Amino acid sequence: MPAEPDPARLWLATQTERLKFGCGFNMLPMWHPLRLAEDYAMADIVTGGRVIMGVGRGYHTREVETFGGPLLDADKNREMFEEGVQLMLKAFNEESFSFHGKYFDVPPPVDYRAIE
């Protein structure tokens, strides 16, 4: 199941009761982790908990440079991936949260919002 909703897969999920949906992995550096978590949470709700999710770091330039993670800097790539996983886990496990890391800020800083 790709990160983007697919009407055919969603329809199939409504017609089955035991079929699980998933993919080997999603290249986390190609997505904002919160967006990916939201897409999978919705798919999990629609399927009644039958979604299997996997994430990977990626190894092609197009996979890791989408959000500024350079391919040749393995340490930065791992750092960005691990921070993305932390953000996704907070989104999955906490009803309300904020996250401020080196690469991602939720909610994002804006001029009119005071940061505490």
Side-chain angles (χ1 to χ4, degrees), residues 28-46:
L28 188 52
M30 291 182 74
W31 302 95
H32 190 287
L34 190 55
R35 166 69 192 275
L36 190 60
E38 289 172 339
D39 287 349
Y40 266 86
M42 180 57 71
D44 191 57
I45 290 167
V46 169

Side-chain angles (χ1 to χ4, degrees), residues 28-80:
L28 188 52
M30 291 182 74
W31 302 95
H32 190 287
L34 190 55
R35 166 69 192 275
L36 190 60
E38 289 172 339
D39 287 349
Y40 266 86
M42 180 57 71
D44 191 57
I45 290 167
V46 169
T47 64
R50 294 179 287 140
V51 171
I52 300 167
M53 179 183 191
V55 293
R57 284 175 50 191
Y59 66 94
H60 289 293
T61 303
R62 70 179 182 276
E63 293 171 344
V64 299
E65 291 185 348
T66 304
F67 281 103
L71 175 65
L72 300 177
D73 188 342
D75 291 335
K76 184 175 180 181
N77 179 281
R78 182 176 49 256
E79 230 177 37
M80 180 180 259

Side-chain angles (χ1 to χ4, degrees), residues 92-112:
F92 287 142
N93 295 309
E94 298 180 26
E95 188 172 325
S96 177
F97 71 93
S98 63
F99 183 92
H100 302 288
K102 184 175 179 180
Y103 301 99
F104 303 104
D105 279 317
V106 176
V110 291
D111 292 338
Y112 59 84

Side-chain angles (χ1 to χ4, degrees), residues 75-91:
D75 291 335
K76 184 175 180 181
N77 179 281
R78 182 176 49 256
E79 230 177 37
M80 180 180 259
F81 172 80
E82 290 174 355
E83 187 173 304
V85 170
Q86 288 175 359
L87 175 52
M88 288 178 55
L89 289 173
K90 282 183 86 66

